[in-house]
Amino acid sequence: MTKVTLTVNGRKVSGECEDRTLLVNFIRENLGLTGTHVGCDTTQCGACVVHMDGRSVKSCTILAVQASGSDITTIEGISSGDTLHPVQAAFKENHGLQCGFCTPGMVMTAVDMIRRHGGQLDEQTVRSELEGNICRCTGYHNIVKSILSAADEMGAKQAAE
């Protein structure tokens, strides 16, 4: 067993796990944060996306021991109390989810996408950047609409500051 120490959603945490434990399993099983989903275990679906040191990563492709010392943000860490993150709010307003299984990964991917593009996104860019995230319920139309809406809101907020 190896000791893993991370900062998760702003809180320093430690736990022991086998060297082969995936980050997604460590987050879910050791920390009890079940918003990060296990979908395919092969980096195909994107349901397990979290932010590691500020960048979106598929946590089913990273060992927990490799992430030790990192700053991890999960879907549970992006809202502020009862106030949804603007991307979460946009998904709710624009019906960007159906069954909800892919939603945490989609939201985490979108938050990073908007950050990297400074809120300046178009439909083609969003669709291209969502290639690593699979939704089996929708045609992606409302997901893309949600991300563009959040990008507009977040870009306007940044411009006003």
Side-chain angles (χ1 to χ4, degrees), residues 9-37:
N9 301 330
R11 190 175 63 105
K12 194 160 193 116
V13 296
S14 294
E16 290 199 0
C17 64
E18 294 183 31
D19 292 343
R20 65 183 179 176
T21 302
L22 296 172
L23 179 58
V24 67
N25 296 121
F26 186 82
I27 290 168
R28 290 178 60 82
E29 296 165 14
N30 291 55
L31 305 179
L33 298 172
T34 57
T36 302
H37 293 163

mmCIF file with all atom_site columns, all heavy atoms in Angstrom, residues 9-37:
data_model
loop_
_atom_site.group_PDB
_atom_site.id
_atom_site.type_symbol
_atom_site.label_atom_id
_atom_site.label_alt_id
_atom_site.label_comp_id
_atom_site.label_asym_id
_atom_site.label_entity_id
_atom_site.label_seq_id
_atom_site.pdbx_PDB_ins_code
_atom_site.Cartn_x
_atom_site.Cartn_y
_atom_site.Cartn_z
_atom_site.occupancy
_atom_site.B_iso_or_equiv
_atom_site.pdbx_formal_charge
_atom_site.auth_seq_id
_atom_site.auth_comp_id
_atom_site.auth_asym_id
_atom_site.auth_atom_id
_atom_site.pdbx_PDB_model_num
ATOM 1   N N   . ASN A 1 9  ? -10.593 19.581 -4.000  1.00 0.00 ? 9  ASN A N   1
ATOM 2   C CA  . ASN A 1 9  ? -11.606 20.624 -3.795  1.00 0.00 ? 9  ASN A CA  1
ATOM 3   C C   . ASN A 1 9  ? -11.209 21.570 -2.661  1.00 0.00 ? 9  ASN A C   1
ATOM 4   O O   . ASN A 1 9  ? -12.021 21.969 -1.838  1.00 0.00 ? 9  ASN A O   1
ATOM 5   C CB  . ASN A 1 9  ? -12.985 20.004 -3.551  1.00 0.00 ? 9  ASN A CB  1
ATOM 6   C CG  . ASN A 1 9  ? -13.430 19.148 -4.705  1.00 0.00 ? 9  ASN A CG  1
ATOM 7   O OD1 . ASN A 1 9  ? -13.075 19.399 -5.852  1.00 0.00 ? 9  ASN A OD1 1
ATOM 8   N ND2 . ASN A 1 9  ? -14.206 18.132 -4.412  1.00 0.00 ? 9  ASN A ND2 1
ATOM 9   N N   . GLY A 1 10 ? -9.909  21.889 -2.623  1.00 0.00 ? 10 GLY A N   1
ATOM 10  C CA  . GLY A 1 10 ? -9.388  22.842 -1.653  1.00 0.00 ? 10 GLY A CA  1
ATOM 11  C C   . GLY A 1 10 ? -9.050  22.267 -0.297  1.00 0.00 ? 10 GLY A C   1
ATOM 12  O O   . GLY A 1 10 ? -8.628  22.996 0.593   1.00 0.00 ? 10 GLY A O   1
ATOM 13  N N   . ARG A 1 11 ? -9.210  20.961 -0.129  1.00 0.00 ? 11 ARG A N   1
ATOM 14  C CA  . ARG A 1 11 ? -8.970  20.324 1.165   1.00 0.00 ? 11 ARG A CA  1
ATOM 15  C C   . ARG A 1 11 ? -7.880  19.275 1.021   1.00 0.00 ? 11 ARG A C   1
ATOM 16  O O   . ARG A 1 11 ? -7.932  18.430 0.138   1.00 0.00 ? 11 ARG A O   1
ATOM 17  C CB  . ARG A 1 11 ? -10.270 19.671 1.639   1.00 0.00 ? 11 ARG A CB  1
ATOM 18  C CG  . ARG A 1 11 ? -10.275 19.169 3.046   1.00 0.00 ? 11 ARG A CG  1
ATOM 19  C CD  . ARG A 1 11 ? -11.675 18.663 3.421   1.00 0.00 ? 11 ARG A CD  1
ATOM 20  N NE  . ARG A 1 11 ? -12.071 17.543 2.595   1.00 0.00 ? 11 ARG A NE  1
ATOM 21  C CZ  . ARG A 1 11 ? -12.099 16.272 2.996   1.00 0.00 ? 11 ARG A CZ  1
ATOM 22  N NH1 . ARG A 1 11 ? -11.761 15.964 4.232   1.00 0.00 ? 11 ARG A NH1 1
ATOM 23  N NH2 . ARG A 1 11 ? -12.476 15.303 2.191   1.00 0.00 ? 11 ARG A NH2 1
ATOM 24  N N   . LYS A 1 12 ? -6.882  19.338 1.892   1.00 0.00 ? 12 LYS A N   1
ATOM 25  C CA  . LYS A 1 12 ? -5.789  18.365 1.854   1.00 0.00 ? 12 LYS A CA  1
ATOM 26  C C   . LYS A 1 12 ? -6.301  17.030 2.398   1.00 0.00 ? 12 LYS A C   1
ATOM 27  O O   . LYS A 1 12 ? -6.878  16.975 3.484   1.00 0.00 ? 12 LYS A O   1
ATOM 28  C CB  . LYS A 1 12 ? -4.591  18.858 2.665   1.00 0.00 ? 12 LYS A CB  1
ATOM 29  C CG  . LYS A 1 12 ? -3.342  18.077 2.404   1.00 0.00 ? 12 LYS A CG  1
ATOM 30  C CD  . LYS A 1 12 ? -2.114  18.876 2.828   1.00 0.00 ? 12 LYS A CD  1
ATOM 31  C CE  . LYS A 1 12 ? -0.884  18.215 2.272   1.00 0.00 ? 12 LYS A CE  1
ATOM 32  N NZ  . LYS A 1 12 ? -0.185  19.028 1.327   1.00 0.00 ? 12 LYS A NZ  1
ATOM 33  N N   . VAL A 1 13 ? -6.072  15.960 1.617   1.00 0.00 ? 13 VAL A N   1
ATOM 34  C CA  . VAL A 1 13 ? -6.526  14.631 2.012   1.00 0.00 ? 13 VAL A CA  1
ATOM 35  C C   . VAL A 1 13 ? -5.406  13.624 1.782   1.00 0.00 ? 13 VAL A C   1
ATOM 36  O O   . VAL A 1 13 ? -4.548  13.826 0.930   1.00 0.00 ? 13 VAL A O   1
ATOM 37  C CB  . VAL A 1 13 ? -7.787  14.192 1.228   1.00 0.00 ? 13 VAL A CB  1
ATOM 38  C CG1 . VAL A 1 13 ? -8.963  15.087 1.545   1.00 0.00 ? 13 VAL A CG1 1
ATOM 39  C CG2 . VAL A 1 13 ? -7.518  14.159 -0.258  1.00 0.00 ? 13 VAL A CG2 1
ATOM 40  N N   . SER A 1 14 ? -5.432  12.559 2.562   1.00 0.00 ? 14 SER A N   1
ATOM 41  C CA  . SER A 1 14 ? -4.469  11.472 2.409   1.00 0.00 ? 14 SER A CA  1
ATOM 42  C C   . SER A 1 14 ? -5.193  10.152 2.549   1.00 0.00 ? 14 SER A C   1
ATOM 43  O O   . SER A 1 14 ? -6.230  10.062 3.201   1.00 0.00 ? 14 SER A O   1
ATOM 44  C CB  . SER A 1 14 ? -3.375  11.544 3.477   1.00 0.00 ? 14 SER A CB  1
ATOM 45  O OG  . SER A 1 14 ? -2.589  12.678 3.298   1.00 0.00 ? 14 SER A OG  1
ATOM 46  N N   . GLY A 1 15 ? -4.616  9.156  1.934   1.00 0.00 ? 15 GLY A N   1
ATOM 47  C CA  . GLY A 1 15 ? -5.167  7.819  2.059   1.00 0.00 ? 15 GLY A CA  1
ATOM 48  C C   . GLY A 1 15 ? -4.190  6.812  1.500   1.00 0.00 ? 15 GLY A C   1
ATOM 49  O O   . GLY A 1 15 ? -3.269  7.173  0.765   1.00 0.00 ? 15 GLY A O   1
ATOM 50  N N   . GLU A 1 16 ? -4.377  5.564  1.870   1.00 0.00 ? 16 GLU A N   1
ATOM 51  C CA  . GLU A 1 16 ? -3.520  4.509  1.357   1.00 0.00 ? 16 GLU A CA  1
ATOM 52  C C   . GLU A 1 16 ? -4.272  3.735  0.292   1.00 0.00 ? 16 GLU A C   1
ATOM 53  O O   . GLU A 1 16 ? -5.483  3.538  0.378   1.00 0.00 ? 16 GLU A O   1
ATOM 54  C CB  . GLU A 1 16 ? -3.079  3.588  2.487   1.00 0.00 ? 16 GLU A CB  1
ATOM 55  C CG  . GLU A 1 16 ? -2.105  4.268  3.413   1.00 0.00 ? 16 GLU A CG  1
ATOM 56  C CD  . GLU A 1 16 ? -1.316  3.289  4.255   1.00 0.00 ? 16 GLU A CD  1
ATOM 57  O OE1 . GLU A 1 16 ? -1.515  2.071  4.128   1.00 0.00 ? 16 GLU A OE1 1
ATOM 58  O OE2 . GLU A 1 16 ? -0.480  3.766  5.031   1.00 0.00 ? 16 GLU A OE2 1
ATOM 59  N N   . CYS A 1 17 ? -3.519  3.311  -0.717  1.00 0.00 ? 17 CYS A N   1
ATOM 60  C CA  . CYS A 1 17 ? -4.107  2.518  -1.791  1.00 0.00 ? 17 CYS A CA  1
ATOM 61  C C   . CYS A 1 17 ? -3.028  1.662  -2.438  1.00 0.00 ? 17 CYS A C   1
ATOM 62  O O   . CYS A 1 17 ? -1.841  1.888  -2.237  1.00 0.00 ? 17 CYS A O   1
ATOM 63  C CB  . CYS A 1 17 ? -4.775  3.420  -2.838  1.00 0.00 ? 17 CYS A CB  1
ATOM 64  S SG  . CYS A 1 17 ? -3.640  4.502  -3.716  1.00 0.00 ? 17 CYS A SG  1
ATOM 65  N N   . GLU A 1 18 ? -3.468  0.698  -3.208  1.00 0.00 ? 18 GLU A N   1
ATOM 66  C CA  . GLU A 1 18 ? -2.539  -0.114 -3.965  1.00 0.00 ? 18 GLU A CA  1
ATOM 67  C C   . GLU A 1 18 ? -1.937  0.741  -5.074  1.00 0.00 ? 18 GLU A C   1
ATOM 68  O O   . GLU A 1 18 ? -2.563  1.697  -5.548  1.00 0.00 ? 18 GLU A O   1
ATOM 69  C CB  . GLU A 1 18 ? -3.252  -1.319 -4.569  1.00 0.00 ? 18 GLU A CB  1
ATOM 70  C CG  . GLU A 1 18 ? -3.751  -2.302 -3.542  1.00 0.00 ? 18 GLU A CG  1
ATOM 71  C CD  . GLU A 1 18 ? -4.393  -3.514 -4.193  1.00 0.00 ? 18 GLU A CD  1
ATOM 72  O OE1 . GLU A 1 18 ? -3.976  -3.900 -5.304  1.00 0.00 ? 18 GLU A OE1 1
ATOM 73  O OE2 . GLU A 1 18 ? -5.312  -4.070 -3.571  1.00 0.00 ? 18 GLU A OE2 1
ATOM 74  N N   . ASP A 1 19 ? -0.746  0.397  -5.503  1.00 0.00 ? 19 ASP A N   1
ATOM 75  C CA  . ASP A 1 19 ? -0.072  1.161  -6.563  1.00 0.00 ? 19 ASP A CA  1
ATOM 76  C C   . ASP A 1 19 ? -0.880  1.205  -7.846  1.00 0.00 ? 19 ASP A C   1
ATOM 77  O O   . ASP A 1 19 ? -0.757  2.140  -8.624  1.00 0.00 ? 19 ASP A O   1
ATOM 78  C CB  . ASP A 1 19 ? 1.312   0.572  -6.859  1.00 0.00 ? 19 ASP A CB  1
ATOM 79  C CG  . ASP A 1 19 ? 2.286   0.768  -5.713  1.00 0.00 ? 19 ASP A CG  1
ATOM 80  O OD1 . ASP A 1 19 ? 2.030   1.616  -4.839  1.00 0.00 ? 19 ASP A OD1 1
ATOM 81  O OD2 . ASP A 1 19 ? 3.313   0.062  -5.694  1.00 0.00 ? 19 ASP A OD2 1
ATOM 82  N N   . ARG A 1 20 ? -1.703  0.208  -8.093  1.00 0.00 ? 20 ARG A N   1
ATOM 83  C CA  . ARG A 1 20 ? -2.475  0.116  -9.336  1.00 0.00 ? 20 ARG A CA  1
ATOM 84  C C   . ARG A 1 20 ? -3.827  0.822  -9.276  1.00 0.00 ? 20 ARG A C   1
ATOM 85  O O   . ARG A 1 20 ? -4.583  0.803  -10.242 1.00 0.00 ? 20 ARG A O   1
ATOM 86  C CB  . ARG A 1 20 ? -2.684  -1.340 -9.704  1.00 0.00 ? 20 ARG A CB  1
ATOM 87  C CG  . ARG A 1 20 ? -3.541  -2.066 -8.697  1.00 0.00 ? 20 ARG A CG  1
ATOM 88  C CD  . ARG A 1 20 ? -3.684  -3.516 -9.014  1.00 0.00 ? 20 ARG A CD  1
ATOM 89  N NE  . ARG A 1 20 ? -4.512  -4.131 -7.971  1.00 0.00 ? 20 ARG A NE  1
ATOM 90  C CZ  . ARG A 1 20 ? -4.891  -5.361 -7.988  1.00 0.00 ? 20 ARG A CZ  1
ATOM 91  N NH1 . ARG A 1 20 ? -4.525  -6.139 -8.983  1.00 0.00 ? 20 ARG A NH1 1
ATOM 92  N NH2 . ARG A 1 20 ? -5.629  -5.842 -7.025  1.00 0.00 ? 20 ARG A NH2 1
ATOM 93  N N   . THR A 1 21 ? -4.158  1.468  -8.160  1.00 0.00 ? 21 THR A N   1
ATOM 94  C CA  . THR A 1 21 ? -5.449  2.143  -8.004  1.00 0.00 ? 21 THR A CA  1
ATOM 95  C C   . THR A 1 21 ? -5.527  3.364  -8.915  1.00 0.00 ? 21 THR A C   1
ATOM 96  O O   . THR A 1 21 ? -4.660  4.234  -8.888  1.00 0.00 ? 21 THR A O   1
ATOM 97  C CB  . THR A 1 21 ? -5.665  2.573  -6.539  1.00 0.00 ? 21 THR A CB  1
ATOM 98  O OG1 . THR A 1 21 ? -5.595  1.417  -5.710  1.00 0.00 ? 21 THR A OG1 1
ATOM 99  C CG2 . THR A 1 21 ? -7.002  3.278  -6.357  1.00 0.00 ? 21 THR A CG2 1
ATOM 100 N N   . LEU A 1 22 ? -6.584  3.407  -9.703  1.00 0.00 ? 22 LEU A N   1
ATOM 101 C CA  . LEU A 1 22 ? -6.798  4.556  -10.581 1.00 0.00 ? 22 LEU A CA  1
ATOM 102 C C   . LEU A 1 22 ? -7.276  5.753  -9.765  1.00 0.00 ? 22 LEU A C   1
ATOM 103 O O   . LEU A 1 22 ? -7.959  5.594  -8.740  1.00 0.00 ? 22 LEU A O   1
ATOM 104 C CB  . LEU A 1 22 ? -7.840  4.218  -11.653 1.00 0.00 ? 22 LEU A CB  1
ATOM 105 C CG  . LEU A 1 22 ? -7.462  3.120  -12.630 1.00 0.00 ? 22 LEU A CG  1
ATOM 106 C CD1 . LEU A 1 22 ? -8.648  2.756  -13.519 1.00 0.00 ? 22 LEU A CD1 1
ATOM 107 C CD2 . LEU A 1 22 ? -6.271  3.551  -13.482 1.00 0.00 ? 22 LEU A CD2 1
ATOM 108 N N   . LEU A 1 23 ? -6.951  6.941  -10.244 1.00 0.00 ? 23 LEU A N   1
ATOM 109 C CA  . LEU A 1 23 ? -7.374  8.162  -9.546  1.00 0.00 ? 23 LEU A CA  1
ATOM 110 C C   . LEU A 1 23 ? -8.887  8.200  -9.384  1.00 0.00 ? 23 LEU A C   1
ATOM 111 O O   . LEU A 1 23 ? -9.391  8.566  -8.323  1.00 0.00 ? 23 LEU A O   1
ATOM 112 C CB  . LEU A 1 23 ? -6.876  9.401  -10.305 1.00 0.00 ? 23 LEU A CB  1
ATOM 113 C CG  . LEU A 1 23 ? -7.260  10.753 -9.715  1.00 0.00 ? 23 LEU A CG  1
ATOM 114 C CD1 . LEU A 1 23 ? -6.752  10.909 -8.286  1.00 0.00 ? 23 LEU A CD1 1
ATOM 115 C CD2 . LEU A 1 23 ? -6.718  11.873 -10.609 1.00 0.00 ? 23 LEU A CD2 1
ATOM 116 N N   . VAL A 1 24 ? -9.632  7.807  -10.414 1.00 0.00 ? 24 VAL A N   1
ATOM 117 C CA  . VAL A 1 24 ? -11.100 7.818  -10.318 1.00 0.00 ? 24 VAL A CA  1
ATOM 118 C C   . VAL A 1 24 ? -11.576 6.929  -9.173  1.00 0.00 ? 24 VAL A C   1
ATOM 119 O O   . VAL A 1 24 ? -12.490 7.303  -8.435  1.00 0.00 ? 24 VAL A O   1
ATOM 120 C CB  . VAL A 1 24 ? -11.775 7.428  -11.658 1.00 0.00 ? 24 VAL A CB  1
ATOM 121 C CG1 . VAL A 1 24 ? -11.511 5.985  -12.038 1.00 0.00 ? 24 VAL A CG1 1
ATOM 122 C CG2 . VAL A 1 24 ? -13.263 7.719  -11.615 1.00 0.00 ? 24 VAL A CG2 1
ATOM 123 N N   . ASN A 1 25 ? -10.959 5.767  -9.004  1.00 0.00 ? 25 ASN A N   1
ATOM 124 C CA  . ASN A 1 25 ? -11.359 4.872  -7.916  1.00 0.00 ? 25 ASN A CA  1
ATOM 125 C C   . ASN A 1 25 ? -10.958 5.424  -6.558  1.00 0.00 ? 25 ASN A C   1
ATOM 126 O O   . ASN A 1 25 ? -11.703 5.282  -5.582  1.00 0.00 ? 25 ASN A O   1
ATOM 127 C CB  . ASN A 1 25 ? -10.785 3.480  -8.136  1.00 0.00 ? 25 ASN A CB  1
ATOM 128 C CG  . ASN A 1 25 ? -11.339 2.831  -9.387  1.00 0.00 ? 25 ASN A CG  1
ATOM 129 O OD1 . ASN A 1 25 ? -10.591 2.473  -10.281 1.00 0.00 ? 25 ASN A OD1 1
ATOM 130 N ND2 . ASN A 1 25 ? -12.653 2.704  -9.475  1.00 0.00 ? 25 ASN A ND2 1
ATOM 131 N N   . PHE A 1 26 ? -9.800  6.058  -6.479  1.00 0.00 ? 26 PHE A N   1
ATOM 132 C CA  . PHE A 1 26 ? -9.364  6.672  -5.225  1.00 0.00 ? 26 PHE A CA  1
ATOM 133 C C   . PHE A 1 26 ? -10.347 7.776  -4.814  1.00 0.00 ? 26 PHE A C   1
ATOM 134 O O   . PHE A 1 26 ? -10.759 7.851  -3.651  1.00 0.00 ? 26 PHE A O   1
ATOM 135 C CB  . PHE A 1 26 ? -7.951  7.242  -5.366  1.00 0.00 ? 26 PHE A CB  1
ATOM 136 C CG  . PHE A 1 26 ? -7.383  7.771  -4.081  1.00 0.00 ? 26 PHE A CG  1
ATOM 137 C CD1 . PHE A 1 26 ? -6.800  6.915  -3.160  1.00 0.00 ? 26 PHE A CD1 1
ATOM 138 C CD2 . PHE A 1 26 ? -7.444  9.123  -3.789  1.00 0.00 ? 26 PHE A CD2 1
ATOM 139 C CE1 . PHE A 1 26 ? -6.279  7.408  -1.959  1.00 0.00 ? 26 PHE A CE1 1
ATOM 140 C CE2 . PHE A 1 26 ? -6.928  9.623  -2.598  1.00 0.00 ? 26 PHE A CE2 1
ATOM 141 C CZ  . PHE A 1 26 ? -6.349  8.762  -1.684  1.00 0.00 ? 26 PHE A CZ  1
ATOM 142 N N   . ILE A 1 27 ? -10.738 8.595  -5.779  1.00 0.00 ? 27 ILE A N   1
ATOM 143 C CA  . ILE A 1 27 ? -11.676 9.694  -5.508  1.00 0.00 ? 27 ILE A CA  1
ATOM 144 C C   . ILE A 1 27 ? -13.012 9.140  -5.020  1.00 0.00 ? 27 ILE A C   1
ATOM 145 O O   . ILE A 1 27 ? -13.579 9.617  -4.037  1.00 0.00 ? 27 ILE A O   1
ATOM 146 C CB  . ILE A 1 27 ? -11.868 10.567 -6.768  1.00 0.00 ? 27 ILE A CB  1
ATOM 147 C CG1 . ILE A 1 27 ? -10.597 11.362 -7.058  1.00 0.00 ? 27 ILE A CG1 1
ATOM 148 C CG2 . ILE A 1 27 ? -13.075 11.488 -6.623  1.00 0.00 ? 27 ILE A CG2 1
ATOM 149 C CD1 . ILE A 1 27 ? -10.579 12.031 -8.434  1.00 0.00 ? 27 ILE A CD1 1
ATOM 150 N N   . ARG A 1 28 ? -13.513 8.142  -5.691  1.00 0.00 ? 28 ARG A N   1
ATOM 151 C CA  . ARG A 1 28 ? -14.819 7.579  -5.360  1.00 0.00 ? 28 ARG A CA  1
ATOM 152 C C   . ARG A 1 28 ? -14.787 6.734  -4.086  1.00 0.00 ? 28 ARG A C   1
ATOM 153 O O   . ARG A 1 28 ? -15.622 6.912  -3.197  1.00 0.00 ? 28 ARG A O   1
ATOM 154 C CB  . ARG A 1 28 ? -15.354 6.742  -6.522  1.00 0.00 ? 28 ARG A CB  1
ATOM 155 C CG  . ARG A 1 28 ? -15.753 7.563  -7.742  1.00 0.00 ? 28 ARG A CG  1
ATOM 156 C CD  . ARG A 1 28 ? -16.232 6.683  -8.890  1.00 0.00 ? 28 ARG A CD  1
ATOM 157 N NE  . ARG A 1 28 ? -17.393 5.883  -8.517  1.00 0.00 ? 28 ARG A NE  1
ATOM 158 C CZ  . ARG A 1 28 ? -18.646 6.323  -8.517  1.00 0.00 ? 28 ARG A CZ  1
ATOM 159 N NH1 . ARG A 1 28 ? -18.917 7.571  -8.881  1.00 0.00 ? 28 ARG A NH1 1
ATOM 160 N NH2 . ARG A 1 28 ? -19.631 5.524  -8.161  1.00 0.00 ? 28 ARG A NH2 1
ATOM 161 N N   . GLU A 1 29 ? -13.837 5.812  -4.008  1.00 0.00 ? 29 GLU A N   1
ATOM 162 C CA  . GLU A 1 29 ? -13.843 4.830  -2.925  1.00 0.00 ? 29 GLU A CA  1
ATOM 163 C C   . GLU A 1 29 ? -13.158 5.321  -1.655  1.00 0.00 ? 29 GLU A C   1
ATOM 164 O O   . GLU A 1 29 ? -13.644 5.070  -0.555  1.00 0.00 ? 29 GLU A O   1
ATOM 165 C CB  . GLU A 1 29 ? -13.198 3.531  -3.401  1.00 0.00 ? 29 GLU A CB  1
ATOM 166 C CG  . GLU A 1 29 ? -14.006 2.876  -4.521  1.00 0.00 ? 29 GLU A CG  1
ATOM 167 C CD  . GLU A 1 29 ? -13.246 1.798  -5.273  1.00 0.00 ? 29 GLU A CD  1
ATOM 168 O OE1 . GLU A 1 29 ? -12.186 1.345  -4.800  1.00 0.00 ? 29 GLU A OE1 1
ATOM 169 O OE2 . GLU A 1 29 ? -13.735 1.421  -6.361  1.00 0.00 ? 29 GLU A OE2 1
ATOM 170 N N   . ASN A 1 30 ? -12.031 6.002  -1.790  1.00 0.00 ? 30 ASN A N   1
ATOM 171 C CA  . ASN A 1 30 ? -11.311 6.464  -0.603  1.00 0.00 ? 30 ASN A CA  1
ATOM 172 C C   . ASN A 1 30 ? -11.869 7.774  -0.065  1.00 0.00 ? 30 ASN A C   1
ATOM 173 O O   . ASN A 1 30 ? -11.840 8.010  1.140   1.00 0.00 ? 30 ASN A O   1
ATOM 174 C CB  . ASN A 1 30 ? -9.818  6.622  -0.891  1.00 0.00 ? 30 ASN A CB  1
ATOM 175 C CG  . ASN A 1 30 ? -9.121  5.301  -1.113  1.00 0.00 ? 30 ASN A CG  1
ATOM 176 O OD1 . ASN A 1 30 ? -9.532  4.523  -1.958  1.00 0.00 ? 30 ASN A OD1 1
ATOM 177 N ND2 . ASN A 1 30 ? -8.066  5.048  -0.367  1.00 0.00 ? 30 ASN A ND2 1
ATOM 178 N N   . LEU A 1 31 ? -12.328 8.644  -0.971  1.00 0.00 ? 31 LEU A N   1
ATOM 179 C CA  . LEU A 1 31 ? -12.793 9.962  -0.546  1.00 0.00 ? 31 LEU A CA  1
ATOM 180 C C   . LEU A 1 31 ? -14.311 10.094 -0.520  1.00 0.00 ? 31 LEU A C   1
ATOM 181 O O   . LEU A 1 31 ? -14.838 11.086 -0.013  1.00 0.00 ? 31 LEU A O   1
ATOM 182 C CB  . LEU A 1 31 ? -12.190 11.043 -1.460  1.00 0.00 ? 31 LEU A CB  1
ATOM 183 C CG  . LEU A 1 31 ? -10.660 11.037 -1.576  1.00 0.00 ? 31 LEU A CG  1
ATOM 184 C CD1 . LEU A 1 31 ? -10.194 12.142 -2.514  1.00 0.00 ? 31 LEU A CD1 1
ATOM 185 C CD2 . LEU A 1 31 ? -10.009 11.151 -0.202  1.00 0.00 ? 31 LEU A CD2 1
ATOM 186 N N   . GLY A 1 32 ? -15.021 9.135  -1.103  1.00 0.00 ? 32 GLY A N   1
ATOM 187 C CA  . GLY A 1 32 ? -16.481 9.168  -1.088  1.00 0.00 ? 32 GLY A CA  1
ATOM 188 C C   . GLY A 1 32 ? -17.088 10.224 -1.994  1.00 0.00 ? 32 GLY A C   1
ATOM 189 O O   . GLY A 1 32 ? -18.256 10.583 -1.825  1.00 0.00 ? 32 GLY A O   1
ATOM 190 N N   . LEU A 1 33 ? -16.323 10.725 -2.949  1.00 0.00 ? 33 LEU A N   1
ATOM 191 C CA  . LEU A 1 33 ? -16.825 11.733 -3.887  1.00 0.00 ? 33 LEU A CA  1
ATOM 192 C C   . LEU A 1 33 ? -17.285 11.004 -5.147  1.00 0.00 ? 33 LEU A C   1
ATOM 193 O O   . LEU A 1 33 ? -16.502 10.692 -6.033  1.00 0.00 ? 33 LEU A O   1
ATOM 194 C CB  . LEU A 1 33 ? -15.738 12.768 -4.201  1.00 0.00 ? 33 LEU A CB  1
ATOM 195 C CG  . LEU A 1 33 ? -15.246 13.565 -3.004  1.00 0.00 ? 33 LEU A CG  1
ATOM 196 C CD1 . LEU A 1 33 ? -14.037 14.420 -3.388  1.00 0.00 ? 33 LEU A CD1 1
ATOM 197 C CD2 . LEU A 1 33 ? -16.366 14.442 -2.451  1.00 0.00 ? 33 LEU A CD2 1
ATOM 198 N N   . THR A 1 34 ? -18.572 10.730 -5.224  1.00 0.00 ? 34 THR A N   1
ATOM 199 C CA  . THR A 1 34 ? -19.087 9.869  -6.285  1.00 0.00 ? 34 THR A CA  1
ATOM 200 C C   . THR A 1 34 ? -19.623 10.631 -7.499  1.00 0.00 ? 34 THR A C   1
ATOM 201 O O   . THR A 1 34 ? -20.184 10.021 -8.404  1.00 0.00 ? 34 THR A O   1
ATOM 202 C CB  . THR A 1 34 ? -20.186 8.945  -5.726  1.00 0.00 ? 34 THR A CB  1
ATOM 203 O OG1 . THR A 1 34 ? -21.218 9.758  -5.152  1.00 0.00 ? 34 THR A OG1 1
ATOM 204 C CG2 . THR A 1 34 ? -19.614 7.999  -4.681  1.00 0.00 ? 34 THR A CG2 1
ATOM 205 N N   . GLY A 1 35 ? -19.431 11.924 -7.546  1.00 0.00 ? 35 GLY A N   1
ATOM 206 C CA  . GLY A 1 35 ? -19.844 12.691 -8.718  1.00 0.00 ? 35 GLY A CA  1
ATOM 207 C C   . GLY A 1 35 ? -18.999 12.383 -9.936  1.00 0.00 ? 35 GLY A C   1
ATOM 208 O O   . GLY A 1 35 ? -19.458 12.507 -11.071 1.00 0.00 ? 35 GLY A O   1
ATOM 209 N N   . THR A 1 36 ? -17.765 11.995 -9.728  1.00 0.00 ? 36 THR A N   1
ATOM 210 C CA  . THR A 1 36 ? -16.891 11.576 -10.816 1.00 0.00 ? 36 THR A CA  1
ATOM 211 C C   . THR A 1 36 ? -17.271 10.147 -11.155 1.00 0.00 ? 36 THR A C   1
ATOM 212 O O   . THR A 1 36 ? -17.190 9.265  -10.306 1.00 0.00 ? 36 THR A O   1
ATOM 213 C CB  . THR A 1 36 ? -15.410 11.659 -10.387 1.00 0.00 ? 36 THR A CB  1
ATOM 214 O OG1 . THR A 1 36 ? -15.130 13.002 -9.981  1.00 0.00 ? 36 THR A OG1 1
ATOM 215 C CG2 . THR A 1 36 ? -14.493 11.269 -11.532 1.00 0.00 ? 36 THR A CG2 1
ATOM 216 N N   . HIS A 1 37 ? -17.699 9.922  -12.383 1.00 0.00 ? 37 HIS A N   1
ATOM 217 C CA  . HIS A 1 37 ? -18.233 8.617  -12.757 1.00 0.00 ? 37 HIS A CA  1
ATOM 218 C C   . HIS A 1 37 ? -17.210 7.717  -13.436 1.00 0.00 ? 37 HIS A C   1
ATOM 219 O O   . HIS A 1 37 ? -16.305 8.195  -14.114 1.00 0.00 ? 37 HIS A O   1
ATOM 220 C CB  . HIS A 1 37 ? -19.439 8.793  -13.676 1.00 0.00 ? 37 HIS A CB  1
ATOM 221 C CG  . HIS A 1 37 ? -20.603 9.406  -12.994 1.00 0.00 ? 37 HIS A CG  1
ATOM 222 N ND1 . HIS A 1 37 ? -21.650 9.969  -13.667 1.00 0.00 ? 37 HIS A ND1 1
ATOM 223 C CD2 . HIS A 1 37 ? -20.894 9.570  -11.677 1.00 0.00 ? 37 HIS A CD2 1
ATOM 224 C CE1 . HIS A 1 37 ? -22.538 10.436 -12.807 1.00 0.00 ? 37 HIS A CE1 1
ATOM 225 N NE2 . HIS A 1 37 ? -22.092 10.215 -11.589 1.00 0.00 ? 37 HIS A NE2 1
#
